Amino acid sequence: MRKQAALLLSGMMIVSALAGCSSSSDQAGQTAQSTNKASVADDKKEKLTITFMPESWSGGKWKEDHATIKYLNEKFNIDLKLMWTDGPTYKDKLNVLAASGSLPDVYRVSPDNFTKWQNEGIFMDLAPQLSKYPNLAKAFPENQWKLLNPKDKEFGIPLWEIENRDSYQIRADWIRNVGLPMPKEDTFNVDEFYQIMKAFALNDPDKNGKKDTVGFATDNDLGMNTFQLRTAFGLANGWKLVDGKLIPQYVQSKEQKDFLGYLRKMYQEGIMDKDFLSKKYNNVYEMFQGGKAGIYTSHPLGLRTDNEKLKKIDPNAELIQLSPPVGPSGLRGNPSNLIGTSKVVINGKIDAKKQQRILEMFDWWVTDEGTDIMKSGIEGVHYTKSADGKFAATPLVDTDLPRILNNWFFKRADANLGNFRWTDPAIAKFDETYNNNNAKYPYRNDSGGLEIYSETYNQKWNDLDTKFKETQLKIVIGEEPVDSIDKAIAAWKANGGDKIIQEMNDAYAKYGVK
């Protein structure tokens, strides 16, 4: 909490600094904004220096003479400068640049900075311009464009990530070994899920003659592998819109009782890992990798790589994607990430021609051609094409890392971002099918990122969650009755929860995407 307070104070100081220096740059800002409205034509005859500030992770970055940079420079008549910044220090550096009035031409902002800085004139409003860049305008879902943007303004481009990346992966060989039918997508429900987990725990699914497997494995945060069950029983994914009002899972009494009662029964019958209270996220994965648990929540690459690992333990191992189980009221869903609250922004103070050149580049970037180059790199450098039309990556793929500017900085909404020119068509098809299956069952967080407008949320949410979870865990292991969740709900509401709900709904009324 002290760290949060320090960050809040730091943010306030940055805003004050921006406001203080705005007087010296008002004229430039007004000029840029009026030029935007005039839609100055850019014939691209003038070579422009453009600065991007991307995050760098694990030391990854491009050298100055990177082949893709050369390509972009020639295509758009620019001199592209990349201000690579270590991910953990990115926000701090951005705050320093903002305070000194030296922000780059294009950069990424977190939801808090995006909302704090909107009134400072430092973001270009894209709304008047997007009609000229149709590829960019349609590259992201409409609601993601609107999230945290003021009405009729587009101060930022959605920072896109896969919304539904993960789903259940289950040992199909274990299902066959215990004599159960393979789940059918249309009819698979929580009762059938329960029977499979029971068989995995009690019926020797690995056929080694030992009772050394668990049924349902989760961690002491009740996170891993529980999301699909939470959804099935109607619990909110963060926040849920009910009758036009946002509510969190902490006030859903019936849904909590149904969900916790389900886990409690598994625990009492020896189906749920009896040592889950001592397990963290990575411990659950280790059990799965070690052939001691038969279900895990992951992505298509995870399924492929884990399948290979499991076959080293058991040559008959077979992992398959499993659709989320249907709950008593017909609900089902895979975990959906909240996408679009972080933004890629264009500096509102820079020359209008530079702004137009950047938008032209982004409009090309989100096309099939642009995305292909920004993922796979340059033909003859990062990959080759044989006479029979097959592609092969060169060793430079591992050193030049042509994909990272697309993956880490700016990309279109495309779940198949991990497929490249040289990707085996069978793998590309597998990933596409996996992602399409996930997209059938989104279960979204309806908050729209409005938590940043709730002071009480930022002060108390973590402590409230920790205390609430203590009761949940006690219910699951049988130390408290299921009905005790009502006392936990009352305590959550009394100790700040009601105020959070009120602040969230005030923010929804004012800023929410309807």
Side-chain angles (χ1 to χ4, degrees), residues 252-481:
Q252 293 183 275
S253 174
K254 181 183 184 306
E255 292 86 349
Q256 286 284 352
K257 291 174 182 177
D258 291 344
F259 166 67
L260 295 172
Y262 185 89
L263 296 184
R264 180 189 180 99
K265 184 179 178 184
M266 281 203 287
Y267 187 84
Q268 289 176 334
E269 294 185 6
I271 299 169
M272 189 169 172
D273 176 20
K274 63 180 178 61
D275 297 320
F276 85 95
L277 286 177
S278 65
K279 303 288 174 59
K280 294 183 178 180
Y281 176 99
N282 61 310
N283 301 131
V284 180
Y285 185 43
E286 288 166 0
M287 292 172 64
F288 178 70
Q289 284 184 310
K292 301 304 179 185
I295 193 165
Y296 192 70
T297 303
S298 192
H299 43 81
L301 176 60
L303 190 152
R304 296 199 310 270
T305 56
D306 285 327
N307 225 353
E308 294 173 2
K309 293 173 183 176
L310 287 168
K311 284 184 179 298
K312 294 178 180 179
I313 300 172
D314 181 354
N316 296 316
E318 181 189 0
L319 274 182
I320 61 170
Q321 184 181 19
L322 183 67
S323 58
V326 178
S329 63
L331 285 174
R332 71 191 317 182
N334 284 315
S336 297
N337 297 310
L338 181 59
I339 307 300
T341 57
S342 292
K343 307 287 185 180
V344 175
V345 296
I346 299 175
N347 195 321
K349 305 287 187 181
I350 61 177
D351 180 78
K353 283 189 177 181
K354 189 180 286 190
Q355 293 174 338
Q356 300 299 322
R357 198 78 58 91
I358 292 166
L359 285 170
E360 183 180 351
M361 189 192 315
F362 282 169
D363 194 63
W364 165 84
W365 193 323
V366 298
T367 64
D368 289 344
E369 177 193 65
T371 294
D372 178 52
I373 289 173
M374 298 310 295
K375 287 198 307 182
S376 299
I378 308 301
E379 185 174 353
V381 178
H382 300 118
Y383 64 90
T384 59
K385 183 179 181 180
S386 62
D388 60 0
K390 294 182 179 180
F391 298 94
T394 72
L396 279 178
V397 164
D398 296 324
T399 54
D400 269 12
L401 301 172
R403 66 190 178 276
I404 60 174
L405 198 61
N406 186 80
N407 286 7
W408 293 348
F409 186 65
F410 175 81
K411 57 181 170 288
R412 71 180 182 182
D414 181 1
N416 298 310
L417 59 92
N419 291 329
F420 308 96
R421 281 276 183 142
W422 53 84
T423 300
D424 184 327
I427 291 177
K429 183 62 177 177
F430 176 87
D431 287 359
E432 181 180 12
T433 300
Y434 191 105
N435 290 325
N436 287 342
N437 288 340
N438 274 2
K440 295 178 189 177
Y441 307 111
Y443 196 65
R444 298 183 174 96
N445 182 347
D446 292 331
S447 74
L450 297 174
E451 291 88 347
I452 59 173
Y453 293 109
S454 171
E455 182 178 353
T456 310
Y457 175 95
N458 289 293
Q459 291 176 347
K460 296 188 175 184
W461 185 268
N462 288 339
D463 286 343
L464 288 171
D465 176 69
T466 298
K467 291 177 181 177
F468 191 86
K469 200 159 287 173
E470 288 175 0
T471 300
Q472 287 182 309
L473 293 172
K474 289 178 180 179
I475 289 172
V476 171
I477 65 175
E479 286 189 4
E480 290 192 13

Side-chain angles (χ1 to χ4, degrees), residues 222 226-240 247-260 263 329 331 443-444 468 472 485 489:
L222 286 183
T226 67
F227 185 91
Q228 290 87 341
L229 296 177
R230 292 171 182 272
T231 303
F233 289 109
L235 287 172
N237 175 15
W239 292 83
K240 189 173 186 177
I247 64 166
Q249 57 125 338
Y250 304 95
V251 299
Q252 293 183 275
S253 174
K254 181 183 184 306
E255 292 86 349
Q256 286 284 352
K257 291 174 182 177
D258 291 344
F259 166 67
L260 295 172
L263 296 184
S329 63
L331 285 174
Y443 196 65
R444 298 183 174 96
F468 191 86
Q472 287 182 309
I485 199 65
I489 290 173

Side-chain angles (χ1 to χ4, degrees), residues 46-51 77-81 105 354 358:
E46 179 184 359
K47 188 169 187 175
L48 302 175
T49 298
I50 292 176
T51 55
N77 194 22
I78 60 174
D79 182 13
L80 180 61
K81 302 294 186 183
D105 298 330
K354 189 180 286 190
I358 292 166

